[in-house]
Amino acid sequence: MEEKKLLLEIHSLSEKLTKPVRFMEVCGTHTVSIFRHGIRQLLPKNVELVSGPGCPVCVTDDVYMDKAIAYAKRPDTIIATFGDMLKVPGSESSLEQAKTEGADIRIIYSPLDSLDIARDNPDKKVIFLAVGFETTSPTAAALTIAAKEAGISNLYLLSAQKLVPPALKTLIADKTVKVDGFILPGHVAVVTGLEPFRFLKEEHQIPAVVSGFEADEILTAITFLLNMVVNNEAKLINAYQAVVKDEGNPVARSVTEKVYEKADAAWRGMGIIPLSGLCMRDEFSSFDIEKVLPLTVKPSPKTTGCRCGDVLKGVITPFNCPLFDKTCNPENPIGPCMVSVEGVCAAYYKYGRASFSFE
Amino acid sequence: MCLAFPAKVLSVDGAVAKVSRKGVERAISLMLLPNAKVGDFVLVHAGFAMEIVDEKQADETDALLAEMNGAPRTVFSL
């Protein structure tokens, strides 16, 4: 079996390490796949995987959620959103709670579904919660362009699109975060290509591998990373060539750039990161709900003891959080990392305590 | 959130394509991948084709997803 061969290779490479290594998987889908296949538990003791800030729901801050909830509570609005946003706690409530109190919140699969909702409800303002990374921002931008072309004037975005490379830069600069290599997000790279990740090698000499999501693909990425560490090399490798082209998808990028421009963005647990997000260009401001119907939400800092921020940076694992599996669990999530199926805490809760071995 | 799956393009009508995945058909947008053609396998994310992928990758993903749903292991025979 391919996986067993790769694991044996990883174990043999690990014997050549002079100190323990930590690799970060950036993408939430990688986190889930790693747990589902038991990979974390099958690695040698001196090869550690930590999860990064790659779950869009998890890095969305309270202020955004509070705004979404405030818009949802207006009688003249319909919120269209991906399902994993529903349970994310804001500072006092969640969209799910607003829904039980009567807010009109629709779960959609594609951003384009919100066009139909807007057409069917001409007397309502339909607000799509545009949250995500580089994979998702072209779809939100395409929605905006499609709405403009179709002359739909009651569709808006509440946008908090984020960019992965600036977050990685911030992580590398943070002395509490120690990462020897990155497993880069495959579906983000489908859009961005390799270029935005070259700084890892060129400025920081950190090995990085673009990886697919299956067990053998993730083990292959770890093998590449270990090989580079052992040989004291830093390369940027595309190990997902069946899907990711080195140049990415230029059409998707140009659609994004037509609607969005770079802006500072707030990340849960990491604060404001310069030019790490996207905001809608002035030309499309009639689709930006924050321009059309501005509202301010009172900041109300929570004192729950939730350590999602440190978990998202890979500084601690969920086991080190005092709330994990006590007051915080998937039924009653206190922080967003426990909410999303791609959240680090949810993955640890579901899969993280099993132990595996291989012969 | 960045979950994506491969599907085969059955027909193209302007910026909309009908795709099939394991016998289930749905319409997706080609706004982000205008050069996709009938017969291509495309990676679909949130209702949009994102990239043309090779058929083997599509088969492997299908087999692994089927396995996750309880089907016998077939992926290594592909």
Side-chain angles (χ1 to χ4, degrees):
Chain A
M1 279 170 47
E2 187 70 12
E3 281 93 341
K4 187 171 174 185
K5 256 193 273 172
L6 287 163
L7 273 168
L8 288 170
E9 172 78 10
I10 287 168
H11 278 260
S12 122
L13 280 167
S14 75
E15 288 165 15
K16 298 181 188 161
L17 290 171
T18 51
K19 60 179 182 61
V21 288
R22 285 181 111 200
F23 298 138
M24 177 176 276
E25 88 273 358
V26 177
C27 170
T29 312
H30 277 146
T31 301
V32 172
S33 184
I34 285 165
F35 272 114
R36 188 181 281 142
H37 294 108
I39 290 174
R40 207 169 288 247
Q41 292 94 329
L42 292 172
L43 292 178
K45 288 219 165 13
N46 57 349
V47 179
E48 187 190 359
L49 285 181
V50 287
S51 307
C55 155
V57 171
C58 305
V59 298
T60 301
D61 70 338
D62 282 352
V63 174
Y64 180 89
M65 292 315 302
D66 289 348
K67 281 184 191 165
I69 293 161
Y71 282 120
K73 284 183 172 170
R74 291 175 58 102
D76 60 342
T77 61
I78 297 173
I79 299 285
T81 178
F82 297 131
D84 44 3
M85 295 293 285
L86 270 197
K87 283 190 173 178
V88 181
S91 38
E92 283 167 3
S93 173
S94 66
L95 286 167
E96 187 175 55
Q97 201 176 328
K99 192 170 161 67
T100 60
E101 289 161 10
D104 193 344
I105 299 173
R106 316 270 180 100
I107 306 226
I108 56 173
Y109 160 67
S110 168
L112 289 179
D113 298 340
S114 51
L115 276 180
D116 294 332
I117 300 174
R119 274 195 202 97
D120 295 344
N121 297 275
D123 53 336
K124 297 277 180 133
K125 293 181 170 63
V126 176
I127 304 171
F128 171 61
L129 302 185
V131 168
F133 294 123
E134 288 90 334
T135 327
T136 311
S137 45
T139 70
L143 167 69
T144 311
I145 292 168
K148 191 169 189 174
E149 283 173 1
I152 291 175
S153 58
N154 63 326
L155 178 76
Y156 308 90
L157 274 66
L158 177 58
S159 198
Q161 299 290 347
K162 290 188 170 58
L163 304 170
V164 171
L168 298 188
K169 275 186 193 168
T170 302
L171 277 176
I172 292 168
D174 186 333
K175 292 280 178 281
T176 60
V177 181
K178 292 184 177 62
V179 178
D180 301 294
F182 285 101
I183 299 174
L184 294 174
H187 290 152
V188 165
V190 164
V191 173
T192 64
L194 300 188
E195 192 55 38
F197 295 104
R198 288 201 199 281
F199 76 96
L200 292 170
K201 162 189 181 270
E202 285 165 11
E203 293 171 30
H204 302 282
Q205 293 76 49
I206 297 180
V209 180
V210 176
S211 170
F213 297 89
E214 304 312 333
D216 61 325
E217 293 172 317
I218 291 167
L219 291 171
T220 302
I222 295 169
T223 311
F224 278 133
L225 287 172
L226 272 176
N227 247 313
M228 286 191 268
V229 172
V230 166
N231 294 317
N232 205 15
E233 288 175 326
K235 288 189 273 195
L236 172 61
I237 295 173
N238 178 4
Y240 196 29
Q241 288 186 3
V243 176
V244 174
K245 301 201 169 30
D246 287 2
E247 68 277 17
N249 178 338
V251 175
R253 289 201 300 276
S254 76
V255 167
T256 302
E257 279 161 25
K258 195 168 173 194
V259 174
Y260 282 112
E261 57 192 336
K262 286 185 184 175
D264 299 349
W267 295 60
R268 186 183 296 266
M270 296 169 72
I272 308 270
I273 302 178
L275 301 180
S276 67
L278 298 171
C279 71
M280 298 179 83
R281 291 181 187 275
D282 287 345
E283 195 187 334
F284 290 93
S285 60
S286 62
F287 294 95
D288 184 346
I289 193 68
E290 294 197 83
K291 296 268 171 61
V292 174
L293 198 65
L295 59 78
T296 47
V297 288
K298 268 189 296 180
S300 52
K302 280 190 292 192
T303 49
T304 60
C306 167
R307 297 192 63 189
C308 268
D310 289 330
V311 169
L312 289 170
K313 291 194 291 185
V315 174
I316 64 165
T317 73
F319 296 135
N320 305 115
C321 174
L323 308 183
F324 179 76
D325 195 19
K326 295 191 175 71
T327 49
C328 183
N329 55 60
E331 287 303 302
N332 177 32
I334 290 174
C337 297
M338 188 61 95
V339 175
S340 169
V341 290
E342 294 184 0
V344 182
C345 294
Y348 267 80
Y349 186 92
K350 193 168 176 189
Y351 304 106
R353 287 163 290 196
S355 65
F356 307 100
S357 60
F358 75 103
E359 295 296 323
Chain B
M1 186 170 283
C2 304
L3 285 173
F5 61 84
K8 188 175 184 177
V9 178
L10 298 179
S11 63
V12 175
D13 180 10
V16 178
K18 198 203 285 181
V19 297
S20 161
R21 182 187 152 66
K22 298 183 80 63
V24 179
E25 293 179 12
R26 69 164 288 150
I28 61 160
S29 170
L30 295 182
M31 277 178 81
L32 305 176
L33 194 70
N35 61 345
K37 299 181 301 294
V38 172
D40 285 344
F41 281 83
V42 294
L43 187 75
V44 180
H45 168 65
F48 288 83
M50 303 299 291
E51 191 54 272
I52 296 169
V53 300
D54 65 41
E55 187 171 351
K56 185 163 182 290
Q57 178 76 26
D59 286 345
E60 282 178 4
T61 306
D62 271 351
L64 281 154
L65 287 171
E67 241 177 63
M68 277 157 53
N69 292 324
R73 195 162 184 84
T74 56
V75 67
F76 293 113
S77 60
L78 289 171

